[in-house]
Amino acid sequence: MTRQGLLVPQEILGTISTPATVMGLPPRSATSTANYKKLMTHLELHGIGSQNCASFESMKASSPTHLRSVALLPTSHSESEDSDWNGRLPSVLNKFEEITEAAKGKKIVMFLDYDGTLSPIVDDPDSAFMSEAMRAAVKSVAKYFPTAIVSGRCRDKVYNFVQLSELYYAGSHGLDIKGPTKWPKHIKAKAKSVLCQPASSFLPMINEVYNLLLEKTKVIPGSKVENNRFCVSVHYRCVEEKRWNRLAEEVRSVLSSYPDLKLTQGRKVLEIRPIIEWDKGKALEFLLNELGFADCNDILPVYIGDDRTDEDAFKVLRDRGQGFGILVSKFPKETCATYSLREPSEVKDFLRRLVEWKRISMKS
């Protein structure tokens, strides 16, 4: 593969930041800066020739339990650093009034990731079920605000998890978008059925790579290859750490014959996607346009997600100067988000508070 396949995890960069402020985070200590330079030098010197090492460390760092065990990370993580991060990226539950103040006279449009946001991260991706309480919270949100699920999962699969027909669904990291089958009263974009699949021409190639990866990874116990229609996910959450290098090698060996596909990484998952100018940020913009909000100043988009792929959407909102990104994470990360939540249970609490605020404001 080309240098494009070299992965640098957000978790590493979240702990080893540059001396200057990056993505709204304060500068770290001299030790952190030295480690950051060491990391950058390592990646520059070993870009193509040492992808085994880089991929292993990247895969290792994608697990929260390994965040502080990676060799290139600082040996300690001070409470002051957590405090700095919380100051730069405060909990939206503690700053809820800022959201409601910004929402006055505007229409909230809600975008939600699925895994790690509406459901917990679990060992078996087929068992990532959302709770009934979370489903009720999302249903209530959709009653008052246009709501979309934007996930790396296959659209049909994430719909089967959520089971709410009044939502927009953007699967495969936004490469497969479909509108509601049951239209809420507040949505005016009923005139046409929304369907967007910008990577349709890649389907035969994606299926071919999926079958090759199924065969190649058979020898690695615990690995799971998931066909998400417009992308392929290789999960290694249940793979022994000593086998991670082998798994990365097998994935790269397949992709070396497919220059039109790229390798990205999420939380204990390697993802193969088409090389096209489309991501969750593009999906957000597409949906705003379909809803008739493309050039509106009286809307407030809110995007909640936990993964590096959600950063594309956070960046769109930041660059628009409109709306808020909310990162779901217990650990400091480099991010374009404005606020944070620690886990799905806090996402549920936030959605409930937002609905209650809307109900009260409508009465008054």
Side-chain angles (χ1 to χ4, degrees), residues 150-185:
V150 187
S151 172
R153 300 276 197 148
C154 166
R155 175 169 54 82
D156 290 340
K157 185 172 289 186
V158 76
Y159 176 83
N160 288 334
F161 278 132
V162 179
Q163 298 176 15
L164 294 174
S165 57
E166 57 266 47
L167 310 182
Y168 286 84
Y169 288 88
S172 303
H173 300 289
L175 291 169
D176 188 7
I177 303 174
K178 190 173 183 181
T181 55
K182 175 183 176 184
W183 296 93
K185 293 179 180 179

Side-chain angles (χ1 to χ4, degrees), residues 289-309:
N289 184 65
E290 288 297 314
L291 286 162
F293 299 146
D295 299 314
C296 294
N297 295 320
D298 59 347
I299 62 164
L300 187 75
V302 176
Y303 188 106
I304 308 178
D306 75 308
D307 200 76
R308 69 174 61 215
T309 57

Side-chain angles (χ1 to χ4, degrees), residues 46-146:
H46 299 82
I48 297 176
S50 295
Q51 283 187 355
N52 286 352
C53 176
S55 291
F56 174 74
E57 295 300 342
S58 182
M59 293 167 76
K60 189 174 180 181
S62 72
S63 168
T65 58
H66 287 101
L67 285 181
R68 296 172 188 123
S69 65
V70 181
L72 295 178
L73 295 179
T75 56
S76 64
H77 182 83
S78 68
E79 291 184 4
S80 64
E81 287 184 330
D82 278 336
S83 178
D84 287 342
W85 185 70
N86 290 332
R88 297 284 181 172
L89 203 75
S91 168
V92 73
L93 294 175
N94 296 333
K95 299 290 184 177
F96 188 75
E97 291 73 16
E98 292 183 5
I99 297 288
T100 56
E101 183 66 27
K104 287 181 179 178
K106 297 182 179 179
K107 189 178 190 66
I108 292 175
V109 187
M110 183 64 66
F111 298 89
L112 302 164
D113 181 29
Y114 183 75
D115 293 276
T117 299
L118 299 182
S119 73
I121 298 294
V122 295
D123 289 342
D124 180 7
D126 290 333
S127 300
F129 302 109
M130 68 192 304
S131 67
E132 288 301 322
M134 181 67 85
R135 182 174 291 106
V138 175
K139 185 177 181 67
S140 295
V141 165
K143 181 179 179 181
Y144 294 101
F145 316 114

Side-chain angles (χ1 to χ4, degrees), residues 1-4 6 43-52 252:
M1 282 186 64
T2 64
R3 185 178 298 270
Q4 186 172 10
L6 190 61
L43 297 183
E44 289 171 2
L45 292 177
H46 299 82
I48 297 176
S50 295
Q51 283 187 355
N52 286 352
R252 285 196 302 274

